[in-house]
Amino acid sequence: MDIQLKKGVLDLCVLYAISKSESYGYKIINDLQGIIDISESTLYPILKRLEDKGNLTTRTAEHSGRLRRYYKITASGLEKLNSGKKDLIEIQSIYKKLFGGNI
């Protein structure tokens, strides 16, 4: 898969995973299981990039004696997620026109 396309899809998957409620790294990976394979070494740079762009906010809290970073989607992140959904629908339409049938 084209690296830029994959990067965009991974961003959308992460935003989707935290769009329903605040979450943390390990939970995000588990929530995406069966949808897309993502490792910690891939996830954390994505989370940092999304945070730097204002699509996420973070807070740190203690959990079982350890600090855990929680991520929450922002209004900007929701806009990016909704825009990405439209893009994926358009890509699906193009795919169907080129190759027929469902993906």
Side-chain angles (χ1 to χ4, degrees):
M1 178 184 287
D2 176 73
I3 191 70
Q4 291 302 320
L5 181 59
K6 187 171 186 174
K7 180 179 164 185
V9 170
L10 287 172
D11 286 2
L12 291 176
C13 289
V14 170
L15 288 171
Y16 172 79
I18 61 174
S19 65
K20 294 170 182 49
S21 66
E22 183 179 65
S23 194
Y24 55 95
Y26 183 75
K27 184 172 183 326
I28 294 168
I29 290 170
N30 283 337
D31 289 347
L32 292 175
Q33 206 168 31
I35 297 170
I36 193 164
D37 288 329
I38 188 167
S39 66
E40 287 184 32
S41 63
T42 301
L43 175 64
Y44 288 104
I46 292 169
L47 290 168
K48 178 67 174 144
R49 183 176 61 248
L50 291 171
E51 180 184 8
D52 289 347
K53 291 182 178 181
N55 300 138
L56 302 176
T57 58
T58 62
R59 72 176 178 89
T60 304
E62 188 174 332
H63 177 78
S64 299
R66 295 180 55 200
L67 290 179
R68 181 183 279 174
R69 182 172 283 219
Y70 291 88
Y71 300 88
K72 185 175 180 180
I73 196 165
T74 63
S76 172
L78 285 172
E79 287 176 21
K80 180 177 176 66
L81 179 60
N82 289 327
S83 174
K85 286 179 191 177
K86 291 176 187 173
D87 291 343
L88 289 175
I89 289 168
E90 185 177 342
I91 290 169
Q92 182 181 27
S93 174
I94 292 167
Y95 178 91
K96 284 181 181 180
K97 289 175 184 173
L98 288 174
F99 304 108
N102 293 321
I103 294 178

